[in-house]
């Protein structure tokens, strides 16, 4: 069964470079997304949650201050999660677009999780 695409947008009160570092570096990701993150140098990231839950993701692409795209190790080739930084030319407002995929019956839970995670990120950026 095909997964359902999730696209969420969040207005962010920060600069693109600051936001990008929170997605593109293990240290940045570890401040809000996971308890610890390690990159083995081959663009494979290991995310640690709690004491023993480790999930690996492949870095599929990145463009400085624009986007970072990952795919979980166990996901299908067409599935990914992405952080895209959008800047309005007119207003200068910075928007974070999160793209992910979920099973139909998990859609609402995944949306709630992203909302929670991004609120954590916003608190950290405001500190």
């Amino acid at each position: 069964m095909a997964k359902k695409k999730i696209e969420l947008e969040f207005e962010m009160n920060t600069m693109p470079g600051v936001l990008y570092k929170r997605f593109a570096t293990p240290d940045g990701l570890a401040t809000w997304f996971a308890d610890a993150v390690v990159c083995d140098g081959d663009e494979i990231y290991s995310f640690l949650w709690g004491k023993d839950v480790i999930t690996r993701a492949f870095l599929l692409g990145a463009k400085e201050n624009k986007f970072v795209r990952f795919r979980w190790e166990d996901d299908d080739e067409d599935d990914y999660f992405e952080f895209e930084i959008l800047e309005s030319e007119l207003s200068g407002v910075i928007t974070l677009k999160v793209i992910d995929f979920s099973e139909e019956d998990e859609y609402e839970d995944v949306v709630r999780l992203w909302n929670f995670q991004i609120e954590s990120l916003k608190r950290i950026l405001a500190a």
Side-chain angles (χ1 to χ4, degrees):
M1 175 192 273
K3 291 185 177 180
K4 186 173 181 179
K5 188 174 187 178
I6 299 169
E7 294 184 78
L8 305 169
E9 292 188 4
F10 305 90
E11 190 172 311
M12 304 299 287
N13 190 22
T14 190
M15 300 299 297
V18 172
L19 196 53
Y20 180 79
K21 288 178 184 174
R22 296 294 178 171
F23 309 130
T25 66
D27 288 342
L29 287 162
T31 63
W32 69 278
F33 188 68
D35 294 328
V37 181
V38 177
C39 180
D40 71 2
D42 290 332
E43 299 179 345
I44 298 174
Y45 285 64
S46 297
F47 296 85
L48 175 67
W49 285 279
K51 293 182 180 181
D52 57 0
V53 178
I54 298 175
T55 308
R56 293 167 34 112
F58 302 101
L59 177 64
L60 300 178
K63 183 173 182 182
E64 190 168 357
N65 299 335
K66 297 293 181 189
F67 80 95
V68 178
R69 181 182 286 186
F70 294 95
R71 180 175 47 81
W72 295 116
E73 185 176 46
D74 296 334
D75 276 353
D76 295 334
E77 292 290 322
D78 295 333
D79 296 340
Y80 60 90
F81 64 101
E82 179 175 296
F83 307 108
E84 182 178 2
I85 302 166
L86 308 169
E87 185 172 5
S88 170
E89 291 182 24
L90 189 59
S91 66
V93 171
I94 304 299
T95 302
L96 169 63
K97 183 176 184 178
V98 176
I99 301 171
D100 197 0
F101 294 83
S102 77
E103 299 292 339
E104 184 72 35
D105 62 339
E106 297 175 351
Y107 182 86
E108 293 301 322
D109 290 336
V110 174
V111 169
R112 271 193 294 279
L113 178 62
W114 278 119
N115 284 320
F116 176 80
Q117 291 293 97
I118 299 305
E119 285 304 315
S120 295
L121 174 61
K122 285 181 175 183
R123 282 191 300 277
I124 289 165
L125 292 171

